Amino acid sequence: MGANVGERLREVRKRRGLSQRELANESGVSLSLIRKLEQGEREDARLETVRRLAAALRVPTTQLVVASRAEDDVVDADAQWKPLRRALLTSSVVDTVDEPPTTAGVRQALDAAMPLFSGDRFVELSTILPSLLRDAEALVRSDPEGRAVRARILQLTGWLLTQMRQFDAAEAALERSMDESSDRLHSAATASITCWLLLRRGRLGEARDLASRWADEVEPRLSRATPAELSAWGWLLLRMSAAAVRDNRPGEAEDAIRLAHAAAVALGREYTPEGNFLQAFGPVTVALKRAENAMVVDRPDLVLKLAANVPVHGLRPTSNNRNRHLLDVANAHARTRQYAEAVDILAGLRATAPQWFPKQRYAQDIVSGILARRRTLTPEMRSLADAVGMPV
């Protein structure tokens, strides 16, 4: 969260007339962590930790957040994403190719790659996506169809790089996708992914403002809205709710998710516009986000209550919906000392999403919490700790 979060924390705590111990009791954050932050021994804290401190101090989370990023850009040690960043950020189009790419050919290649995106197959994507990007760049810029394909590839690249915490490159991809777009709903979807990027960087106010602006831009008349319009609007409202709840604005969060629910009711089912798994939306999606909000405000009991009525087994197991929700459910079980249930869910995620699961800091936090509370570790717990890179 930045080196000055401790200074802000100390200032606000003293204005509230609270001791460090009283703040620890109110927030549920350990006294030792509060002391380390205020004394500058720790320069970072997870966004969720800062949110809990801000809630106890009755201030927006953004009042404690100084730096612009919640998580630093991560450059993999094996430079896995360097070719993709190079293809995105440098001009690498070759003018004298024997067989220049065609719009139809690039579109077919993208269609073939879509299962890799929806299946979180990051290794394969890191190999094929640089070439796909270069081919997209080589398409004639005056061709509207070529621009649309290029905008779609850039949008997916931005989503993938956000997933991999390559935030600067992700932002560049999403900005270019927006520039290339001539379709209002594509632009709205790109704005939604950008909101997610801003959320991951801790830029809550920017995420809320962007989601609000675009939600106003695309708000449809429910009685005559198309499914694609409802999906685009609904997702922007969900992003607005996610930003507001993390910034300790529960009223705004509830208002936004209530409107998203209205869009989902008007839609009447889970809908995926033109096979775009990132924009799958409907009543179940809204229910998943209600559970996520409940976990953010530290209501594991409510998470489990809501999850009991969510038919997640009918959803495609993508990281964009079911997998993220199941992490919330696992966390709720762990927070209520139902460790066996939490471990079962985590083990299932590891089995079904083997490339996605090890890269989730949230999963690491859940496993860490389980290990800290258990005197005896089962083989499954040790295996999960290995999977998320934690020594035991």
Side-chain angles (χ1 to χ4, degrees):
M1 298 285 12
N4 293 325
V5 67
E7 296 176 14
R8 293 285 183 94
L9 176 61
R10 183 172 59 250
E11 291 172 4
V12 178
R13 176 180 62 78
K14 288 184 175 180
R15 286 203 302 270
R16 289 284 186 259
L18 293 175
S19 68
Q20 290 178 333
R21 187 175 299 278
E22 287 170 333
L23 177 58
N25 291 337
E26 288 285 334
S27 66
V29 177
S30 71
L31 176 60
S32 63
L33 177 55
I34 292 172
R35 284 174 174 167
K36 288 177 180 178
L37 287 170
E38 291 195 0
Q39 293 168 7
E41 295 178 24
R42 277 280 300 273
E43 295 186 351
D44 64 331
R46 281 180 51 80
L47 179 60
E48 301 307 323
T49 300
V50 178
R51 191 211 65 80
R52 291 167 67 184
L53 291 167
L57 293 167
R58 302 187 304 282
V59 297
T61 308
T62 45
Q63 191 165 332
L64 298 182
V65 176
V66 179
S68 63
R69 294 186 289 183
E71 303 173 20
D72 292 332
D73 283 2
V74 175
V75 179
D76 294 335
D78 61 358
Q80 179 183 9
W81 300 105
K82 186 178 292 184
L84 180 55
R85 292 195 302 271
R86 185 184 302 117
L88 176 66
L89 301 174
T90 64
S91 179
S92 55
V93 178
V94 178
D95 294 328
T96 57
V97 289
D98 294 332
E99 297 182 4
T102 65
T103 297
V106 174
R107 184 185 291 112
Q108 289 172 1
L110 175 59
D111 290 343
M114 285 306 297
L116 304 181
F117 284 102
S118 61
D120 294 315
R121 292 166 62 180
F122 305 134
V123 173
E124 294 95 325
L125 285 170
S126 68
T127 301
I128 71 164
L129 199 48
S131 296
L132 186 58
L133 262 177
R134 283 191 287 270
D135 285 348
E137 288 295 332
L139 297 178
V140 178
R141 289 196 170 272
S142 60
D143 177 9
E145 292 187 14
R147 288 192 62 180
V149 173
R150 195 160 48 239
R152 179 77 176 112
I153 293 172
L154 287 164
Q155 183 191 78
L156 287 161
T157 299
W159 171 83
L160 174 66
L161 290 170
T162 300
Q163 184 82 271
M164 295 294 97
R165 298 194 293 275
Q166 306 288 313
F167 293 139
D168 289 338
E171 190 166 357
L174 293 170
E175 286 178 355
R176 289 183 54 201
S177 179
M178 189 70 80
D179 290 342
E180 292 279 358
S181 176
S182 58
D183 179 271
R184 187 171 62 109
L185 294 185
H186 173 91
S187 297
T190 303
S192 174
I193 298 170
T194 303
C195 289
W196 178 50
L197 167 63
L198 293 170
L199 285 169
R200 297 202 72 182
R201 302 189 84 165
R203 291 155 59 177
L204 304 180
E206 292 177 63
R208 194 174 68 252
D209 290 346
L210 180 63
S212 177
R213 184 167 70 251
W214 271 96
D216 289 344
E217 174 72 22
V218 301
E219 181 178 0
R221 183 172 296 181
L222 294 183
S223 61
R224 62 180 66 171
T226 67
E229 289 172 334
L230 291 169
S231 169
W233 186 53
W235 261 110
L236 289 162
L237 292 165
L238 292 178
R239 300 299 191 198
M240 194 190 316
S241 181
V245 75
R246 285 165 172 79
D247 202 19
N248 296 321
R249 300 173 185 268
E252 289 184 27
E254 182 56 32
D255 287 346
I257 209 164
R258 190 181 298 117
L259 287 172
H261 177 70
V265 169
L267 193 53
R269 58 188 172 88
E270 289 297 305
Y271 167 75
T272 305
E274 296 182 359
N276 183 353
F277 73 99
L278 294 179
Q279 290 297 298
F281 178 80
V284 176
T285 298
V286 175
L288 300 183
K289 293 303 179 181
R290 279 194 180 278
E292 182 178 318
N293 283 4
M295 197 67 253
V296 169
V297 298
D298 203 19
R299 287 289 310 277
D301 57 321
L302 181 56
V303 173
L304 296 177
K305 180 179 179 180
L306 292 170
N309 296 313
V310 176
V312 294
H313 298 293
L315 290 175
R316 293 182 61 190
T318 69
S319 59
N320 206 44
N321 51 35
R322 195 189 77 169
N323 289 353
R324 176 59 176 77
H325 171 69
L326 289 177
L327 284 181
D328 281 326
V329 177
N331 194 22
H333 279 302
R335 295 293 299 277
T336 53
R337 300 183 182 276
Q338 302 173 52
Y339 301 120
E341 291 84 348
V343 168
D344 283 347
I345 292 171
L346 294 172
L349 282 171
R350 181 190 178 191
T352 57
Q355 293 188 37
W356 176 83
F357 180 76
K359 296 187 179 294
Q360 303 309 304
R361 290 187 179 181
Y362 190 13
Q364 186 179 82
D365 289 344
I366 299 168
V367 174
S368 176
I370 293 172
L371 299 186
R373 295 179 180 91
R374 293 282 297 185
R375 292 184 179 180
T376 304
L377 303 183
T378 66
E380 192 69 82
M381 291 175 185
R382 293 181 182 276
S383 178
L384 287 171
D386 289 339
V388 296
M390 291 182 58
V392 294

